[in-house]
Amino acid sequence: MNGAPDVPADVSRDVPLVLRSRRAVLPDGVRPATVTVAPDGTIAAVLPHDAEVPRGAELVDVGDDALLPGLVDTHVHVNDPGRSEWEGFWTATRAAAAGGITTLLDMPLNSLPPTTTAGHLAVKRDVARDKAHTDVGFWGGAIPGNVRELRPLHEAGVFGFKCFLSPSGVEEFPELDPAGLKDAMIEIASFDGLLIVHAEDPGLLASAPQKGGPAYADFLASRPRDAENEAVARLVALAAEHGTRVHVLHVSSEGVLPLLAEARREGVRVTAETCPHFLTLTAEEVPDGATEFKCCPPIREKENQDALWTALGEGVLDCVVSDHSPCTTDLKTPDFGTAWGGISSLQLGLPAVWTEARRRGHGLADVARWMSAAPARLAGVTGKGAITPGNDADFAVLAPEETFTVDPARLHHRNQVTAYAGKTLHGVVRSAWLRGERVADHGIPVQRSGRLIERKAD
């Protein structure tokens, strides 16, 4: 029933904080609501909009601004330690909080050491612990020769394991060959872990034309759709054979979509994500030499983008996450062949996706599902992803109709290079809240309240 409370009306009055919105994005839809926060930072109740405010509680009434669950970004390259001049936990989590992200999972590569052993994980946690403005969890890595490290990493609380099927771009994190992929999948299936995969076929990449230079069309030709399609087809077949849970990272090719749909119909445990840049940027608009647009797999044509949106709406693609992969400014040379590949978008993902989603007829509930509930569910991040009693009181407050023009100087990630520079986007993030504490206000991080999180023990 519209406006009905989710818990009895006589819920405990011992709450320090109450948030009220005429557009609360809840699991059952968007409606006016009052959300009470318990002293331990969890959601105590979701009540009718006009519910009485408990005595002594602080009321934050956001009016017509939307109250969303804090976003969960399961694909972030923080690069700390080792390449902290590219990005670090302090700057990455500040950017995340400013963009409405309250939980992120760090990828196992581009840091030194990579997160490929339990010992390396401990190093990463020690570096992150006192720098996190948001909650931070970790993926482990599956590389040649570390099969025996996978179970200890799982037991140490990583959320799953990332591997590459083609070169990663850094020598300390090599790709798995077919035998190594099979071994990793068998081991991960033995403890029902999750394998997340950068799926491009190395042979097809090697045979594609590699011209280099400033022309985006030449770069696009060097990362053909068939390389992605073939790799996903092989991955799905192995997942069916070994019963491994697999997740396909950053889907950019429409040719992958029927493979995913068919695999699910056949009961294969496969999920998939795409990214804001694939949903909002197109190959046709990339200027030559503008390597801030370079990523692998690449931003493709508008027709391909339309297919991704259809798949997202139909549930063939599960979620939207950033693949924030920054670098120093000097590595973004005008040559697409040599420039570092990665899009920096932590702070901008929500407004970028909302801008295009609203144009295509999607609502705030869709965006919250794609960018909060689904990533939390696929990675097994508990207590996140929905405004519901018992979950952490993590929120993003968004002014959906307001617009702003992206100014790189106002971004909080370490190197303010972005493919969105100068774009006008809908959706201003007013604030972000983590366990009932305001961590960002009008684009400015205001408090460091992040914790290190682990996968819930089996």
Side-chain angles (χ1 to χ4, degrees), residues 251-388:
V251 171
S252 78
S253 168
E254 64 178 321
V256 168
L257 306 174
L259 301 173
L260 295 171
E262 178 63 22
R264 289 179 176 180
R265 284 193 294 269
E266 295 179 354
V268 180
R269 297 195 297 168
V270 58
T271 53
E273 69 188 37
T274 192
C275 304
H277 41 278
F278 297 137
L279 297 171
T280 63
L281 306 173
T282 62
E284 291 87 344
E285 69 184 283
V286 179
D288 286 349
T291 56
E292 62 269 26
F293 289 85
K294 179 182 177 180
C295 56
C296 299
I299 295 165
R300 302 191 188 277
E301 301 84 354
K302 183 183 183 304
E303 179 184 4
N304 185 89
Q305 182 184 90
D306 291 342
L308 296 180
W309 274 104
T310 298
L312 194 59
E314 294 175 348
V316 176
L317 294 173
D318 298 87
C319 57
V320 181
V321 292
S322 70
D323 191 9
H324 178 71
S325 184
C327 65
T328 53
T329 304
D330 61 293
L331 294 180
K332 284 291 191 180
T333 68
D335 185 333
F336 276 99
T338 59
W340 177 259
I343 304 287
S344 296
S345 64
L346 264 178
Q347 194 169 331
L348 300 171
L350 175 55
V353 171
W354 171 239
T355 297
E356 187 66 12
R358 69 191 295 275
R359 189 183 73 81
R360 292 174 179 264
H362 296 287
L364 291 167
D366 296 319
V367 172
R369 182 174 69 254
W370 299 329
M371 303 187 78
S372 186
R377 181 172 59 252
L378 85 87
V381 181
T382 57
K384 310 287 189 181
I387 300 175
T388 191

Side-chain angles (χ1 to χ4, degrees), residues 102-422:
T102 53
T103 302
L104 64 83
L105 299 190
D106 173 58
M107 282 292 167
L109 73 156
N110 298 343
S111 59
L112 296 168
T115 317
T116 52
T117 71
H120 292 175
L121 173 64
V123 171
K124 182 74 72 81
R125 285 176 169 157
D126 285 345
V127 170
R129 185 169 288 109
D130 295 329
K131 299 178 181 178
H133 291 75
T134 65
D135 283 359
V136 175
F138 301 91
W139 296 106
I143 63 173
N146 84 325
V147 169
R148 292 184 180 179
E149 302 289 346
L150 301 182
R151 185 179 291 270
L153 277 164
H154 178 77
E155 293 171 349
V158 299
F159 286 85
F161 304 91
K162 180 177 186 178
C163 73
F164 280 73
L165 305 187
S166 56
S168 71
V170 290
E171 63 181 10
E172 69 275 1
F173 203 97
E175 72 274 21
L176 293 177
D177 64 16
L181 176 62
K182 178 180 177 180
D183 289 345
M185 293 184 78
I186 291 171
E187 176 66 8
I188 292 168
S190 74
F191 50 77
D192 198 30
L194 174 64
L195 180 66
I196 64 174
V197 184
H198 180 125
E200 290 181 283
D201 182 86
L204 290 174
L205 291 180
S207 63
Q210 305 290 328
K211 292 185 178 179
Y216 187 73
D218 290 339
F219 171 65
L220 190 59
S222 75
R223 313 291 297 207
R225 297 185 200 183
D226 283 350
E228 203 172 342
N229 304 342
E230 178 62 30
V232 171
R234 186 169 75 251
L235 180 66
V236 165
L238 286 170
E241 179 181 355
H242 301 299
T244 314
R245 287 193 297 136
V246 297
H247 177 72
V248 183
L249 299 168
H250 43 52
V251 171
S252 78
S253 168
E254 64 178 321
V256 168
L257 306 174
L259 301 173
L260 295 171
E262 178 63 22
R264 289 179 176 180
R265 284 193 294 269
E266 295 179 354
V268 180
R269 297 195 297 168
V270 58
T271 53
E273 69 188 37
T274 192
C275 304
H277 41 278
F278 297 137
L279 297 171
T280 63
L281 306 173
T282 62
E284 291 87 344
E285 69 184 283
V286 179
D288 286 349
T291 56
E292 62 269 26
F293 289 85
K294 179 182 177 180
C295 56
C296 299
I299 295 165
R300 302 191 188 277
E301 301 84 354
K302 183 183 183 304
E303 179 184 4
N304 185 89
Q305 182 184 90
D306 291 342
L308 296 180
W309 274 104
T310 298
L312 194 59
E314 294 175 348
V316 176
L317 294 173
D318 298 87
C319 57
V320 181
V321 292
S322 70
D323 191 9
H324 178 71
S325 184
C327 65
T328 53
T329 304
D330 61 293
L331 294 180
K332 284 291 191 180
T333 68
D335 185 333
F336 276 99
T338 59
W340 177 259
I343 304 287
S344 296
S345 64
L346 264 178
Q347 194 169 331
L348 300 171
L350 175 55
V353 171
W354 171 239
T355 297
E356 187 66 12
R358 69 191 295 275
R359 189 183 73 81
R360 292 174 179 264
H362 296 287
L364 291 167
D366 296 319
V367 172
R369 182 174 69 254
W370 299 329
M371 303 187 78
S372 186
R377 181 172 59 252
L378 85 87
V381 181
T382 57
K384 310 287 189 181
I387 300 175
T388 191
N391 270 6
D392 288 345
D394 298 352
F395 310 109
V397 177
L398 182 75
E401 286 76 38
E402 291 199 19
T403 62
F404 69 101
T405 300
V406 176
D407 176 2
R410 297 177 66 87
L411 301 178
H412 294 285
H413 63 263
R414 178 151 295 166
N415 295 280
Q416 286 135 352
V417 176
T418 176
Y420 294 95

